[in-house]
Amino acid sequence: MPSYVRAGSLPHKRHIQFRRPDGGLYAEELFSTKGFESVYSLLYHHEPPTATLAVKPWSRPVVSFEPNDPLRNRHFKTAALACGGDAVGGRLALLGNADLVMSVVDADRPMDYYYRNVGGDELLFVHHGAGTLQTNFGDLAYRANDYLVVPSGTTYRVLPSSPTRAVVWASSGMVKVPRRYRNEFGQMEEHAPYYERDFRVPVLREPIVEPGEYEVRVSNAGRNAIYTVRNHPCDVIGWDGYCYPYAFNLEEFAPITGKLHQPPPAHATFEAPGAAFCAFVPRMFDYHPLAVPVPYNHSSVDCDEVLYYVSGNFMSRRGVEAGSITLHAAGAPHGPQPGAVEASLGKTSTDEIAVMVDTFAPLQIAQTALPCEDPTYYRSWIEQPAP
Ligand SMILES: [Fe+2]
């Protein structure tokens, strides 16, 4: 919800008669959040979105989580995980708590149904691949290194044009631009590492006006259902407001760098209840003549830190690869591995790309993550004998 957007045809005032060329009325829908108290949009459908023909149970597999006990730092090599399928059905949950569930998926086919998660916003990160996020607000073309912010209640499907690896964070609340990046009116501040222009909004297509039987799978905090609806979810002639899906590519991120090491909050991208998101992108290193480019040792006593490694040379980490996830648990010190500090001295820039989430409640580990775990990771700060 970076700013007000309008798309397609709209009546000149809200809540008045708005007629189709055939004389019938368009069906206005208020898409609101926090009751009527927060951001919202108004959508104008060719036919009412309420025409439900059938509701059936949807038996989704229950994800079994276990505590990170004994408490330790963990490493999961997710690149080899079998998580093919469509972008919703193929998701493999790896980490989670009451605020957030983090999954990965290798979407290798289009969804032949629509999905609507009304349990909270979803944040997707496209590691590689391209395609279209088709929504009731229009189409969002996506590509590698895109974040996709999907508000709770958005009806969508993912149509990959090439196999797509995505990380999905399903929040229990709203995913927002951090408050400190916005002025009192909501506009992006000058010091923010991105600007309104950097966000892509859906392109509204010709409304699909073909009464039939369309499948919409609905999920809300563990309650699931398959709806059969008469009217196509993408029969919208126009919409406006502050609540809509949008995309942001890391190419547009203007990282904040400094004379000395900048901590993760300098690289914040989004925030959600109990979670803060950051992105590490190619950037110049610190310019103090004695600066140490890699991070210092660190004990994060208030949050679990999760990094998903995307591409480039991850200079401070040994043994990680693209698709690796490290979980640095609250209270377990972490930092550059042996030799990394010396190796970094004199380096002027990095080409690494990684995305991060810090959670303020402890994360649990999904049993589905265990097969790809490197069980020796917590010992990786021990000096290794020369090969
Ligand atoms: Fe840390």
Side-chain angles (χ1 to χ4, degrees):
M1 69 305 289
S3 53
Y4 174 81
V5 168
R6 59 180 294 163
S9 300
L10 300 169
H12 79 278
K13 283 187 73 64
R14 56 187 175 178
H15 317 326
I16 64 171
Q17 295 175 36
F18 181 33
R19 293 201 176 273
R20 306 183 307 229
D22 66 4
L25 285 167
Y26 287 111
E28 183 185 57
E29 178 190 9
L30 172 65
F31 186 88
S32 66
T33 59
K34 295 188 178 171
F36 295 82
E37 304 279 306
S38 189
V39 291
Y40 63 93
S41 290
L42 287 163
L43 297 94
Y44 295 86
H45 295 266
H46 203 277
E47 301 289 342
T50 48
T52 303
L53 298 168
V55 178
K56 293 184 294 187
W58 179 20
S59 300
R60 303 190 76 177
V62 176
V63 180
S64 182
F65 287 99
E66 58 185 50
N68 182 18
D69 185 11
L71 186 71
R72 63 201 186 277
N73 294 328
R74 314 282 288 258
H75 174 203
F76 305 95
K77 295 185 168 186
T78 75
L81 278 176
C83 48
D86 69 55
V88 170
R91 289 178 189 178
L92 206 60
L94 302 175
L95 302 168
N97 60 26
D99 297 319
L100 194 80
V101 174
M102 179 174 179
S103 308
V104 293
V105 63
D106 287 315
D108 54 18
R109 69 200 71 169
M111 293 166 62
D112 56 8
Y113 56 92
Y114 288 85
Y115 180 56
R116 183 188 302 142
N117 177 359
V118 283
D121 291 3
E122 291 184 354
L123 178 65
L124 284 72
F125 178 79
V126 180
H127 181 169
H128 54 73
T132 301
L133 182 78
Q134 184 188 55
T135 80
N136 50 336
F137 292 85
D139 289 357
L140 262 177
Y142 69 78
R143 64 185 192 275
N145 296 333
D146 265 348
Y147 275 116
L148 304 170
V149 181
V150 184
S152 177
T154 302
T155 304
Y156 75 87
R157 59 179 179 161
V158 179
L159 307 172
S161 57
S162 62
T164 297
R165 159 54 72 106
V167 183
V168 183
W169 295 278
S171 170
S172 62
M174 192 178 282
V175 174
K176 299 186 286 192
V177 168
R179 180 65 188 89
R180 69 178 187 280
Y181 290 167
R182 294 176 281 137
N183 65 23
E184 62 183 307
F185 299 101
Q187 185 182 17
M188 230 66 86
E189 295 258 24
E190 263 295 310
H191 62 74
Y194 43 50
Y195 183 53
E196 276 83 355
R197 261 179 247 173
D198 299 328
F199 294 89
R200 308 187 327 264
V201 301
V203 176
L204 193 59
R205 306 292 183 194
E206 245 342 90
I208 302 172
V209 186
E210 293 170 16
E213 295 188 359
Y214 300 102
E215 184 175 319
V216 181
R217 299 188 189 182
V218 180
S219 204
N220 183 350
R223 297 167 296 169
N224 305 295
I226 299 176
Y227 280 56
T228 306
V229 299
R230 189 187 63 196
N231 302 314
H232 198 286
C234 302
D235 71 342
V236 171
I237 185 79
W239 63 267
D240 72 340
Y242 280 73
C243 189
Y244 49 83
Y246 60 95
F248 168 68
N249 194 278
L250 288 185
E251 278 176 18
E252 311 298 345
F253 198 54
I256 294 167
T257 57
K259 190 170 185 177
L260 295 172
H261 180 73
Q262 297 292 304
H267 305 288
T269 49
F270 300 100
E271 63 186 21
F277 299 90
C278 308
F280 301 95
V281 301
R283 62 194 183 280
M284 300 303 292
F285 276 138
D286 326 308
Y287 54 84
H288 188 286
L290 296 177
V292 177
V294 293
Y296 28 71
N297 299 304
H298 180 213
S299 289
S300 184
V301 296
D302 294 317
C303 57
D304 280 357
E305 301 178 354
V306 178
L307 266 167
Y308 179 92
Y309 298 83
V310 178
S311 61
N313 176 21
F314 310 113
M315 211 164 55
S316 66
R317 287 273 90 76
R318 176 196 296 152
V320 301
E321 58 189 28
S324 280
I325 290 175
T326 55
L327 163 62
H328 294 148
H334 56 276
Q337 282 151 321
V341 171
E342 289 289 348
S344 75
L345 300 180
K347 295 272 194 320
T348 57
S349 65
T350 176
D351 65 349
E352 70 174 5
I353 298 181
V355 287
M356 183 176 184
V357 63
D358 287 357
T359 67
F360 300 99
L363 282 165
Q364 297 205 314
I365 318 292
Q367 286 189 338
T368 41
L370 300 179
C372 72
E373 181 169 18
D374 165 11
T376 65
Y377 180 67
Y378 75 93
R379 290 176 50 83
S380 63
W381 287 271
I382 303 295
E383 296 287 352
Q384 304 289 310

